[in-house]
Amino acid sequence: AGTGRRHAARCLHAISNEAGPFVVVPSRDWSALDAALNGAGGTVFLPSIEQLAWADQEALAAALTSATTRRRVTASIGVDPGRAADDGRLSPGMASAFRGAIVTLPPLRERRLDIAVLAQAFIEELRGLNRLPPLAVAPEAWAALERYSWPGNVTQLRGAVESAVILAQDGMVRLRDLPEHVLPRTNLGEAGERAQRRFREAKRIVVEAFERSYHGDL
């Protein structure tokens, strides 16, 4: 859980020749899935496919082997697919439909090169949502991010980046802006000082900057 399965599926879509959209469909919503499968082009992604009802799994498996499905279908599962099939959580048809096209996504601690890439993507996404100016990351902050083991995987990394972006000043994410648990032990004193900064006050500054920018565009 939290290894970034949706991000991986989105990357597969981005580097493919699929011209259509990347569509995320809740695994419990068969009507939305059926409508997505009947669309033209693009990629459909189903998170936690083991949560799909048994009858819907069989219907999806039939659709995947049908020549009428015009969209690529990707899916993720939080457990080993073979074990899920043995335990009755994944239908034989579903297991067969995806056999030979399964990619195991290791935990983030085993993908150190992905940390900076994902963190930068999160920074740009947060900047876009909040209309923030360009934001750089200090070398020591990058080193701390890449050194941490991330037991919460990509989900935890995003939370750390979001907090750091809110606390950052002068267009730079510094070591003091990172959550305390990410910092090396030699910087715990600095972390204590940073922890005393009022998070709500930092957030208020960001919100006010956004409001000024928003009203200026009206």
Side-chain angles (χ1 to χ4, degrees):
T3 53
R5 291 171 285 169
R6 183 176 306 194
H7 295 289
R10 190 180 294 275
C11 287
L12 286 173
H13 171 74
I15 64 176
S16 71
N17 294 322
E18 295 290 336
F22 180 81
V23 181
V24 179
V25 180
S27 294
R28 297 180 185 271
D29 191 344
W30 171 255
S31 59
L33 174 58
D34 188 43
L37 292 175
N38 290 320
T43 301
V44 174
F45 174 67
L46 290 89
S48 303
I49 199 171
E50 71 275 17
Q51 297 179 4
L52 193 64
W54 188 270
D56 294 341
Q57 288 189 31
E58 289 293 288
L60 176 57
L64 291 175
T65 57
S66 170
T68 60
T69 301
R70 294 174 291 174
R71 278 184 162 171
R72 169 188 288 167
V73 177
T74 57
S76 75
I77 186 169
V79 296
D80 179 81
R83 186 182 307 162
D86 292 340
D87 293 345
R89 285 180 285 176
L90 201 63
S91 75
M94 283 295 297
S96 176
F98 284 102
R99 185 174 292 119
I102 298 174
V103 177
T104 301
L105 201 58
L108 189 56
R109 65 178 178 272
E110 298 178 13
R111 298 151 44 204
R112 297 287 178 179
L113 295 178
D114 286 357
I115 294 174
V117 175
L118 288 167
Q120 189 64 56
F122 294 149
I123 289 172
E124 294 306 312
E125 179 185 356
L126 293 166
R127 282 188 55 240
L129 289 173
N130 296 284
R131 298 189 182 184
L132 300 176
L135 197 62
V137 180
E140 59 272 19
W142 277 130
L145 290 172
E146 293 172 346
R147 184 167 46 237
Y148 187 62
S149 61
W150 300 109
N153 291 304
V154 177
T155 303
Q156 186 184 23
L157 173 62
R158 181 182 172 84
V161 169
E162 185 171 358
S163 174
V165 166
I166 291 175
L167 292 173
Q169 296 179 341
D170 304 321
M172 176 72 71
V173 173
R174 296 177 173 83
L175 198 61
R176 65 171 183 258
D177 301 318
L178 299 178
E180 183 174 345
H181 61 267
V182 176
L183 301 181
R185 296 184 63 84
T186 55
N187 293 94
L188 289 181
E190 185 178 5
E193 180 181 350
R194 186 204 64 82
Q196 295 176 7
R197 298 167 59 187
R198 294 193 301 164
F199 183 85
R200 290 184 178 179
E201 178 65 14
K203 187 174 183 179
R204 183 186 63 79
I205 294 173
V206 172
V207 171
E208 289 180 352
F210 166 75
E211 290 178 344
R212 286 195 299 271
S213 173
Y214 177 78
H215 290 302
D217 290 342
L218 295 180

